[in-house]
Amino acid sequence: MLDFTNFTKREFADLIRNRAEIDREELYAEARAVRESSYGTDVYIRGLIEITNYCKNDCLYCGIRKGNLDAMRYRLTPEQILSCCEHGYELGFRTFVLQGGEDYFFSDELLEKIVRDIKRCFPDCAVTLSLGEKEYDSYLRFFEAGADRYLLRHETANPLHYSLLHPKEMSHAHRLECIRNLKRIGYQTGTGFMVGSPYQTAENLAEDLLLLKELQPEMVGIGPFLPHHATPFAHEAGGTVELTLFMLALIRLLLPFSLLPSTTALGTLDPARGRQRGILAGANVVMPNLSPSDVRSKYMIYDNKNTATETADYLVQLKREMHEIGYQVVTSRGDCNRGRRMMND
Ligand code: SAH
């Protein structure tokens, strides 16, 4: 078994650079064995609700950056968000993920109310927020309103690389401070990064792994960078399925109890098999889209994102795909298991 628990940055970078020498099937089998001892063969689903595509930021890679004047902007109303949850609940979702651009229209007060309403209507469900960088007090307020989890990818662990992907108003230090605040408050915290983003090196990916090891997040979202035509990175090369799967497997081995999604971006690069391949490399979560169909084509963070498939149809397909490879989609909140086993022993 590959043991890289104490790998240095240099050793990780070499491993990533020379990955052609690694037997991939063996690596994925190890990742699956670890995943199965933490979570069995269950696949958790999260209903993704894209609540707004207004954004004050200008991240160079993102299709809903404020500088994209062609983007048709929308916001969901609290009633629309609740009805997405209702539809999702009937389909078997027990986690709702509210994601969006950084949109001041959604004040702390309004978000608090939305979280409270969802938790009141669906007390057996987890609420995950993914709404970008906020002050400590705002995160605390949402947590006290009942939000269980927060996703905030660090995007890259290297500050210089971060500055090449973001406008100068945004700071790597602030992003990390936000992640630390989320953990301190008690959220199940998710972070992560894009694979194959412009200027990314093997050293950067090694730093990402070391940062994950330090932060010990409950969730880790990684997916290939995919160019969007109306961004400064329109003509950059995208990330690959191959490197994304390799990184997924390493993360599973490094963080045995992490909740790792087989991401939409991976499914976009390989529509026929991407989701299955992510699961076979150690992922254990899938995040189907629950947004109303008329807004889906507007939440275009990269080109070719699937917007057509109805959630119910997507779910039928997903269940079949998981069944084919010996896994099963379950109706459960799918919380992080870390520490539970020790408590029961
Ligand atoms: N505003 C929120 C949500 C961002 S969208 C936040 O800041 O957290 C969620 C993730 O999509 C981002 O964190 C980023 O890693 C990813 N993403 C954005 N643009 C992308 C692109 N062009 N290709 C691949 N992933 C992208």
Side-chain angles (χ1 to χ4, degrees):
M1 165 130 171
L2 249 178
D3 183 12
F4 44 68
T5 349
N6 293 313
F7 262 27
T8 61
K9 173 172 153 189
R10 182 146 177 205
E11 287 168 321
F12 271 130
D14 286 341
L15 178 74
I16 293 164
R17 236 191 317 270
N18 303 323
R19 64 186 182 281
E21 295 164 16
I22 305 250
D23 182 332
R24 224 45 78 83
E25 289 316 311
E26 204 175 298
L27 175 72
Y28 296 158
E30 278 180 26
R32 286 197 297 275
V34 168
R35 169 264 209 250
E36 284 169 28
S37 73
S38 310
Y39 290 101
T41 51
D42 289 351
V43 174
Y44 301 129
I45 50 171
R46 321 298 195 194
L48 185 64
I49 307 172
E50 297 155 334
I51 68 170
T52 172
N53 73 348
Y54 281 86
C55 192
K56 72 171 176 63
N57 292 331
D58 228 358
C59 305
L60 276 69
Y61 45 84
C62 183
I64 62 167
R65 66 201 302 269
K66 76 164 176 217
N68 179 8
L69 302 180
D70 293 339
M72 303 245 289
R73 305 289 169 170
Y74 75 90
R75 290 181 179 110
L76 298 185
T77 63
E79 295 72 31
Q80 281 178 305
I81 296 171
L82 267 179
S83 84
C84 290
C85 296
E86 211 168 293
H87 180 216
Y89 192 89
E90 284 164 17
L91 292 173
F93 290 95
R94 295 295 178 268
T95 291
F96 303 116
V97 181
L98 273 43
Q99 189 172 76
E102 293 196 16
D103 178 3
Y104 287 129
F105 177 86
F106 283 93
S107 63
D108 289 359
E109 191 184 353
L110 179 56
L111 284 170
E112 179 186 334
K113 181 176 160 4
I114 293 170
V115 171
R116 280 195 199 284
D117 285 350
I118 299 176
K119 294 294 282 195
R120 197 188 51 241
C121 297
F122 308 99
D124 54 338
C125 292
V127 170
T128 305
L129 301 177
S130 178
L131 301 167
E133 298 175 34
K134 310 235 174 224
E135 294 311 310
Y136 182 93
D137 289 345
S138 308
Y139 287 149
L140 182 62
R141 186 164 172 179
F142 309 147
F143 186 74
E144 286 173 346
D148 303 271
R149 313 188 186 126
Y150 205 103
L151 304 175
L152 188 71
R153 293 184 177 183
H154 63 274
E155 312 295 0
T156 169
N158 182 289
L160 179 64
H161 185 216
Y162 189 90
S163 73
L164 299 173
L165 302 179
H166 298 93
K168 61 179 183 319
E169 304 78 52
M170 291 180 74
S171 112
H172 185 252
H174 189 254
R175 194 122 185 131
L176 289 190
E177 188 187 320
C178 286
I179 295 169
R180 295 204 164 94
N181 284 342
L182 290 164
K183 283 184 61 106
R184 193 169 310 144
I185 290 168
Y187 281 98
Q188 292 178 46
T189 304
T191 186
F193 54 91
M194 286 177 286
V195 175
S197 58
Y199 314 108
Q200 186 177 63
T201 62
E203 278 73 19
N204 295 153
L205 288 169
E207 291 169 297
D208 287 321
L209 292 175
L210 291 174
L211 181 65
L212 293 179
K213 198 179 145 191
E214 178 202 323
L215 291 172
Q216 295 284 321
E218 281 81 9
M219 291 99 67
V220 185
I222 71 160
F225 158 71
L226 298 169
H228 182 285
H229 64 278
T231 63
F233 291 159
H235 302 293
E236 298 288 334
T240 63
V241 172
E242 178 271 325
L243 182 53
T244 305
L245 296 176
F246 186 75
M247 295 306 295
L248 266 178
L250 294 189
I251 295 168
R252 169 58 65 207
L253 296 175
L254 208 57
L255 302 173
F257 286 99
S258 53
L259 294 157
L260 274 182
S262 180
T263 50
T264 309
L266 191 59
T268 302
L269 259 193
D270 181 355
R273 297 220 47 222
R275 282 168 301 268
Q276 284 183 332
R277 292 172 77 188
I279 299 293
L280 290 170
N284 61 336
V285 171
V286 181
M287 300 171 67
N289 199 328
L290 259 185
S291 307
S293 16
D294 59 316
V295 305
R296 287 194 194 178
S297 59
K298 300 181 184 144
Y299 199 87
M300 273 296 166
I301 53 180
Y302 45 76
D303 290 336
N304 305 317
K305 191 166 161 254
N306 174 1
T307 56
T309 320
E310 279 298 326
T311 319
D313 298 334
Y314 183 97
L315 217 49
V316 170
Q317 171 74 17
L318 179 68
K319 286 179 180 167
R320 184 183 322 128
E321 286 175 13
M322 295 300 109
H323 187 72
E324 268 170 24
I325 57 173
Y327 290 81
Q328 64 284 333
V329 170
V330 294
T331 296
S332 146
R333 277 175 50 124
D335 285 297
C336 182
N337 259 345
R338 189 170 64 202
R340 286 202 187 158
R341 195 188 335 204
M342 276 182 301
M343 273 150 47
N344 295 337
D345 272 352

